[in-house]
């Protein structure tokens, strides 16, 4: 189909919940994607931090093909080998001792909320309140949305779930004020992503860990976007020297296929018994095989160290751009290959101009450019991306 017809059919038949660029992506390889007009884009967005190793990473592609030939979908009323292997692997590379698999970040957050509540109910304790944070984002399902600290995602959708209270990110006193004898858990993004790429302060996260231990409540980290090596550690919490009781993962977890997971300690795991929670597709053998292939490649090929190193290089380049354009940019934030460049105006126009130059990036909280290139990104890719960004900025400045 010709490009304009695909776009027209898309607008005719897809529910209009996205502001899409007028681009039809057809093919991808590594950190390049190509559209229906054969334009080559350097991908510094990775499908919103999903394609950790870029497009069509050979080990992941092979794992998917081989597993598809062997076993397709099976229900969770049976064991499947790739899924058990993946659960073990995730526990080996994290604080966790048990894993629940689902299909998305929001579902992982749902599972965490349910598990926290169920744990206390099992002990006969009426603790159900969850404290989360202003500016946070935890997903679009009702539980995750109720935990999200941004009104714009909730408008017109009420009533939301009761039992959620919002503290101020990086402010421990605001958290203490919200703790009651009904509090079950504190849910926090290690780095607030959709809210504009705001890392937690190390002192604040340590205080949260102490507070949750002292009160006997759960610390749930939402690492849906920050996990799988993106920040220069396998999990962002490793930068902070603390460990949570529960952690959500998704996005890059499935090697490009849809997968979410809730990782928990043995103690937290006691809340769920057979029948308490479930997912038809969660832990599907094909997605599990893709995930294992990706995690093994990340470890074997030192992509985490690469993300840390290249992330520093990209950060320096973005800081140079900020310094050169003080009227347009105010701050660079983030860790590893999860970086935000805050603007003095809305980011949408510059994101589009970057796409026109052949650079895919995203935005966060409307006024922040978001850079989430795959972990395979090199110095040369970053030099190219910065060159394209500079060209886009020159165009943006013409619109002042
Ligand atoms: C921190 C965080 N949690 C949860 C979600 C929801 O994930 P999903 O879109 O896979 O449901 C997102 C998505 O952006 C996220 O960034």
């Amino acid at each position: 189909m010709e490009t304009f017809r695909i776009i027209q059919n898309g607008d005719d038949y897809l529910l209009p919940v996205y502001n899409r660029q007028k681009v039809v992506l057809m093919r991808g390889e590594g950190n390049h994607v190509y559209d229906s007009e054969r334009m080559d884009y350097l991908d510094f967005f990775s499908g919103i931090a999903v394609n950790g190793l870029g497009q069509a990473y050979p080990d992941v592609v092979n794992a998917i093909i081989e597993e598809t030939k062997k076993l397709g979908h099976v229900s969770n009323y049976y064991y499947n080998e790739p899924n058990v292997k993946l659960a073990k692997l995730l526990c080996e590379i994290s604080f966790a001792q048990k894993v629940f698999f689902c299909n998305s970040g929001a579902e992982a957050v749902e599972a965490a909320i349910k598990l926290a509540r169920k744990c206390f109910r099992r002990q006969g304790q009426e603790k159900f309140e969850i404290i989360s944070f202003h500016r946070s984002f935890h997903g679009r399902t009702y539980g995750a949305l109720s935990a999200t600290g941004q009104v714009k995602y909730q408008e017109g959708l009420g009533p939301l779930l009761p039992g959620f209270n919002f503290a101020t990110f990086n402010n421990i006193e605001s958290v203490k004020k919200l703790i009651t004898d009904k509090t079950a858990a504190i849910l926090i993004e290690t780095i607030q992503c959709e809210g504009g790429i705001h890392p937690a302060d190390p002192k604040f996260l340590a205080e949260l860990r102490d507070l949750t231990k002292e009160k006997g409540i759960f610390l749930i980290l939402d690492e849906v976007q920050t996990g799988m090596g993106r920040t220069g550690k396998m999990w962002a919490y490793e930068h902070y020297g603390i460990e949570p009781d529960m952690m959500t993962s998704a996005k890059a977890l499935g090697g490009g296929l849809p997968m979410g997971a809730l990782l928990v300690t043995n103690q937290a795991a006691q809340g769920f018994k057979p029948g308490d929670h479930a997912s038809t597709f969660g832990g599907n053998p094909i997605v599990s095989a893709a995930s294992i292939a990706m995690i093994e490649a990340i470890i074997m090929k030192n992509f985490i160290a690469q993300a840390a190193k290249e992330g520093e290089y990209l950060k320096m380049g973005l800081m140079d751009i900020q310094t050169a354009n003080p009227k347009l940019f105010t701050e660079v934030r983030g860790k590893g290959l999860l970086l935000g460049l805050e603007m003095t105006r809305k980011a949408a126009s510059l994101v589009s101009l970057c796409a026109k130059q052949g650079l895919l990036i995203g935005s966060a909280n409307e006024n922040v450019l978001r850079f989430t290139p795959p972990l395979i990104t090199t110095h040369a890719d970053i030099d190219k991306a910065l060159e394209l960004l500079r060209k886009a900025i020159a165009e943006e400045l013409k619109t002042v």
Side-chain angles (χ1 to χ4, degrees), residues 93-110:
I93 61 167
S94 74
F95 72 98
Q97 290 147 336
K98 293 268 188 296
V99 185
F100 171 79
F101 288 101
C102 48
N103 314 286
S104 66
E107 281 179 68
V109 172
E110 295 294 326

Side-chain angles (χ1 to χ4, degrees), residues 1-186:
M1 250 196 292
E2 305 137 74
T3 302
F4 89 93
R5 202 163 295 286
I6 299 173
I7 292 174
Q8 199 180 332
N9 279 352
D11 292 344
D12 285 347
Y13 294 110
L14 295 168
L15 207 59
V17 290
Y18 303 102
N19 272 323
R20 295 176 205 266
Q21 309 277 343
K22 301 284 179 211
V23 169
V24 181
L25 295 177
M26 303 293 276
R27 195 174 67 77
E29 201 181 334
N31 51 15
H32 287 261
V33 285
Y34 304 88
D35 72 8
S36 47
E37 309 288 307
R38 293 169 199 255
M39 169 128 176
D40 176 356
Y41 299 87
L42 181 56
D43 190 359
F44 268 46
F45 196 29
S46 308
I48 322 187
V50 166
N51 302 315
L53 300 180
Q55 296 278 348
Y57 191 80
D59 298 9
V60 177
V61 172
N62 288 339
I64 293 170
I65 292 171
E66 290 311 312
E67 191 54 40
T68 309
K69 285 197 250 169
K70 218 159 70 184
L71 188 65
H73 172 75
V74 288
S75 115
N76 278 311
Y77 289 109
Y78 310 95
Y79 295 91
N80 79 74
E81 194 185 352
N83 191 233
V84 173
K85 193 173 164 194
L86 176 61
K88 183 166 180 279
L89 182 57
L90 286 173
C91 290
E92 283 163 3
I93 61 167
S94 74
F95 72 98
Q97 290 147 336
K98 293 268 188 296
V99 185
F100 171 79
F101 288 101
C102 48
N103 314 286
S104 66
E107 281 179 68
V109 172
E110 295 294 326
I113 294 166
K114 286 173 87 172
L115 181 57
R117 289 182 169 181
K118 196 80 178 183
C119 269
F120 287 109
R121 294 272 165 67
R122 261 191 204 293
Q123 298 162 17
Q125 294 190 59
E126 201 45 24
K127 286 179 185 279
F128 58 86
E129 288 176 358
I130 311 283
I131 297 174
S132 64
F133 291 84
H134 295 299
R135 213 175 50 197
S136 64
F137 182 82
H138 297 290
R140 304 285 192 154
T141 53
Y142 265 96
L145 187 64
S146 303
T148 289
Q150 297 190 64
V151 179
K152 68 178 179 195
Y153 295 111
Q154 301 166 334
E155 264 161 5
L157 298 171
L160 299 172
L161 236 57
F164 291 84
N165 297 304
F166 298 92
T168 304
F169 197 67
N170 284 334
N171 180 332
I172 196 69
E173 292 309 316
S174 75
V175 181
K176 287 183 182 165
K177 275 189 203 146
L178 292 178
I179 293 204
T180 72
D181 57 359
K182 297 202 167 15
T183 307
I186 294 175

Side-chain angles (χ1 to χ4, degrees), residues 341-371:
L341 175 55
E342 186 164 293
M343 297 185 68
T344 52
R345 55 168 88 170
K346 289 194 172 172
S349 149
L350 188 48
V351 170
S352 294
L353 289 168
C354 282
K356 287 199 179 101
Q357 292 293 337
L359 173 67
L360 299 187
I361 59 169
S363 61
N365 197 27
E366 294 193 346
N367 67 334
V368 178
L369 298 180
R370 175 168 29 168
F371 300 84

Side-chain angles (χ1 to χ4, degrees), residues 188-308:
I188 185 165
E189 289 163 271
T190 319
I191 298 174
Q192 286 190 328
C193 294
E194 299 300 309
I197 318 292
H198 295 275
D201 282 347
K203 183 165 174 277
F204 172 67
L205 220 49
E207 285 170 339
L208 264 194
R209 181 63 284 191
D210 289 346
L211 185 64
T212 45
K213 277 199 175 140
E214 179 197 318
K215 301 283 177 191
I217 60 178
F218 294 113
L219 177 63
I220 308 170
L221 292 183
D222 184 341
E223 293 241 11
V224 163
Q225 196 157 157
T226 51
M228 310 317 298
R230 171 144 304 283
T231 68
K233 301 269 185 199
M234 184 60 87
W235 311 104
Y237 73 77
E238 294 171 34
H239 291 285
Y240 293 88
I242 58 132
E243 289 187 342
D245 305 298
M246 304 189 201
M247 179 177 75
T248 55
S249 176
K251 292 213 185 266
L253 174 66
L257 298 185
M259 174 175 260
L262 175 64
L263 287 75
V264 304
T265 59
N266 269 334
Q267 195 209 348
Q270 287 168 17
F272 277 168
K273 300 280 178 260
D276 283 345
H277 195 48
S279 165
T280 298
F281 289 111
N284 169 296
I286 300 167
V287 192
S288 297
S291 179
I292 293 166
M294 184 208 48
I295 294 171
E296 286 179 346
I298 287 179
I299 295 169
M300 301 295 289
K301 297 190 181 153
N302 279 328
F303 282 125
I304 297 183
Q306 184 168 332

